[in-house]
Amino acid sequence: MPRLALRFSTQTLLLQLGVVLLVVLLSGTVHAWLVYGRIGAEAENQALTLARTVASDPLIRSEVQTISKEAGTPPPAVLAAGPIQAAAEAARTRTGALFVVVTDETGLRLAHPDLARLGERVSTDPSDALSGKEVTTRNTGTLGPSAGAKVPVYAPGAAATVVGEVSVGYSMESLSQSLAEDIGPIALTAAGALLAGVLASFLLRSRLQRLTLGLEPEEISTLVHDQVAVLQGVDDGVIGISADGRITVFNAAAKRLLGMPGASGILTGTSWADAAVPEQLKALTRPSAHDAEAVEIVAGGRVLVANARKALHRKEDLGWVVMLRDRTELQELTRQLDAVGTMSAALRAQRHEFANQLHTIAGFMSIGQHEQAKDYLARISATGPLKFPVEQAQLLQDPYLQAFVGAKGVEADERGVALRIGPETLVRGHVTEPQDVTTVLGNLIDNAVNAAVAGSSPQRWVEIELLDEPGPDGGTLHIVVGDSGDGLGSFGADQVFVEGFTTAEPGGRGTSTAGGQGLGLALVHQLARRRGGDVRILEPGSAGGPGAVFMATLPGVTGPSEAGDRPNVVEPTEGRP
């Protein structure tokens, strides 16, 4: 059978329990060893004190000196009945020592708990004590292992003459009994530490499972790699907000779309409520917001579609995920397609007029009016075959501006608004950034046409003036757009250029040409500033007309005209052909 692998949390628990058990055992062992050493040291000190007391006894000193002067050693029976044995046994019995031994200057026992050992040489070396030194020892003698001390016995009245020694010892078995008495608190402490460690290990295991969502380390590592690959590999912006309102994910695409260079690392970990992002994004993550509800916002000179979804894992609330998608290019393509469609419709109308002109020429030729036919052809050649309902269109020299303004003139004419070119118009270069010019000029013209249609003036018109200014890094195009509407009323620049200000609502003006409401002026305002220019209000206008006048400055969008580039001048017409 295959061996079942333990989960990481279980492995961690077992490892923690092993470490706790090892630490407790080591701590208990070291503590017991220290206690045992302390008890042994206390026994040695106690033995040393008792040995000094016995050795300083005048009777002991006198009797030991007397025996040392005699030739030989008294028989054991005499020693057993002598005063030295009696004094030593009395001291041993009184203190609970294992033994109190008294020897002469040669190391022969004069007192011993075992009477049969009297007169024999001691089992341990007495030379240190007989040389006048006090020593403490732990050794094994005839009575078993002991902790004791040896001190010299000096002759009465002669402090420098050693006539014997006193050896006192306490049984190591009594030390073990003392340790056994002290081991209870040690064992209780160790058990308490072990129990606390086990409880802490279980709590840590539970917290680890919650933090990792029950995932194994390999799964977490795979998720991290997948997250980095996905977040950095997609063009959509992704912002993750945790359940406690902190930003956990802010990928490079979101930074780019929101126009926040270098901000992703700074925002990660900060409060979502205090983040420097549009308020529309924050509104998507409020409790009252509907999940997956999409909104259009303008940020960083782009039109973005944003939506937020609730993130759940096994019914656990993980927070929100905000998605950002760029619709700027789609809107630009839509605007260009609208312009192409408008121009195509105009060209179809012009095709009918061109056929009529051919019929007119054929009529002149059939009736022999050759001179009139020649003059008619000259007029057609001078003005060109195409005509748009734009007054003073001949002031535009750039083919792109001719076509775009002409298409806008057709749209305005369909709504009953006359589009005209102001007399101060002078564009000597050619457009090098048609997308930006289309966005700004198209939105301003569309807004002006809407205002003219909604205005109270019987004359509906929109007037634009274009002026280019050469520069080392490309020419600057100045655009001025006015209309016959009722103006901005009490609204100021701080309101007009705010996202959401639209003619679809009372008092609003700006609109988006791609279907969104309230994005046009905000978009062109940000786009112009991103290029180093600006869009501002020259005149707020008044009720009854004339209406508001806007001016846009776009640096670096025009270049010098190519040699020999002399486009046809488009002749204006009164109304549609």
Side-chain angles (χ1 to χ4, degrees), residues 142-158:
T142 57
L143 298 178
S146 63
K150 297 177 181 290
V151 298
V153 177
Y154 295 98

Side-chain angles (χ1 to χ4, degrees), residues 451 483 485-493 495-497 501 507-510 521 537-543 546-550:
D483 57 67
D486 292 333
L488 299 175
S490 60
F491 294 102
Q495 297 171 288
V496 170
F497 295 114
F501 188 78
R509 178 183 175 88
L521 288 177
I537 302 171
L538 294 182
E539 295 289 341
S542 59
V549 180
F550 285 78

Side-chain angles (χ1 to χ4, degrees), residues 7-13 16 200-217 220:
R7 295 183 63 84
F8 175 70
S9 57
T10 304
Q11 295 178 7
T12 304
L13 174 63
Q16 290 171 342
S201 298
F202 274 100
L203 293 177
L204 183 59
R205 176 176 181 266
S206 177
R207 176 170 175 79
L208 182 62
Q209 285 182 326
R210 289 197 304 269
L211 292 178
T212 61
L213 303 177
L215 299 176
E216 296 298 307
I220 296 176

Side-chain angles (χ1 to χ4, degrees), residues 511-536:
T511 186
S512 170
T513 59
Q517 295 295 332
L519 300 178
L521 288 177
L523 176 62
V524 300
H525 189 252
Q526 292 192 21
L527 189 150
R529 288 196 170 184
R530 188 178 61 181
R531 297 195 62 91
D534 198 5
V535 177
R536 60 182 184 272

Side-chain angles (χ1 to χ4, degrees), residues 162-173:
V162 178
V163 295
E165 64 139 350
V166 175
S167 177
V168 177
Y170 285 90
S171 174
M172 295 297 289
E173 295 180 357

Side-chain angles (χ1 to χ4, degrees), residues 59-143:
L59 176 63
I60 297 294
R61 296 173 67 182
S62 175
E63 291 294 328
V64 171
Q65 183 184 29
T66 301
I67 295 175
S68 297
K69 289 180 179 181
E70 295 178 355
T73 302
V78 174
L79 293 175
I84 296 178
Q85 176 68 19
E89 281 299 300
R92 184 184 69 83
T93 305
R94 183 176 65 251
T95 59
L98 176 64
F99 60 85
V100 176
V101 178
V102 181
T103 71
D104 60 8
E105 79 281 4
T106 60
L108 298 177
R109 299 187 182 99
L110 302 179
H112 193 277
D114 187 0
L115 297 180
R117 302 288 183 179
L118 292 176
E120 296 179 358
R121 186 174 178 82
V122 293
S123 59
T124 57
D125 184 16
S127 58
D128 287 338
L130 293 177
S131 63
K133 299 178 181 178
E134 295 181 347
V135 295
T136 57
T137 62
R138 293 188 188 183
N139 49 41
T140 302
T142 57
L143 298 178

Side-chain angles (χ1 to χ4, degrees), residues 389-393 405 409 417-423 425 459-465 480 482 484:
V390 178
E391 300 179 17
Q392 303 294 327
V405 174
V417 178
L419 179 62
R420 64 195 185 202
I421 308 298
T425 294
Q459 296 182 350
R460 298 177 177 178
W461 53 265
V462 172
E463 181 174 296
I464 63 173
E465 290 187 350
V480 179
S484 61

